[in-house]
Amino acid sequence: MLIALALLLAAQAVPALPPTEGEELVVVARRGKCRLQLAGRMLSDRELATQTGGWVGKPLRVVAPRGVGDLCLAKIAMRLGDRGVNLVEFVDAPPPP
């Protein structure tokens, strides 16, 4: 857990990646669970494993809505890092209209 927090803090110190036109993930935290959503659909662990092959070496934007904790974001970073995704930019969700 301490390693995950250290990775999260290190990722925040890195300059922001340029905006990408690639895929954008949304973090969803509900009832103690931290999940990823792609194109409006929740990703299962199996779907995440198959998707990440195309993200290796490419910048990936992860939208973190207000209220999502650092522990949740650290879990997401670790899950993506375990699958080889190392260019992740956490961004705030746009404010509602």
Side-chain angles (χ1 to χ4, degrees):
M1 184 166 136
L2 188 56
I3 294 172
L5 187 56
L7 286 174
L8 179 64
L9 293 174
Q12 290 177 348
V14 175
L17 297 171
T20 62
E21 295 181 16
E23 295 176 285
E24 189 170 82
L25 294 172
V26 177
V27 176
V28 178
R30 291 189 190 132
R31 294 185 215 135
K33 293 184 179 183
C34 191
R35 305 285 308 264
L36 285 172
Q37 184 176 347
L38 176 65
R41 199 171 75 98
M42 293 297 216
L43 292 176
S44 68
D45 289 335
R46 179 176 284 172
E47 291 169 329
L48 180 64
T50 58
Q51 278 290 123
T52 53
W55 297 334
V56 174
K58 297 179 183 175
L60 182 66
R61 294 173 57 96
V62 178
V63 177
R66 197 175 279 181
V68 174
D70 290 340
L71 183 59
C72 178
L73 297 178
K75 286 180 184 178
I76 295 297
M78 293 297 290
R79 287 173 65 192
L80 291 171
D82 288 345
R83 290 172 171 79
V85 178
N86 57 3
L87 298 171
V88 178
E89 177 187 19
F90 288 98
V91 295
D92 293 329

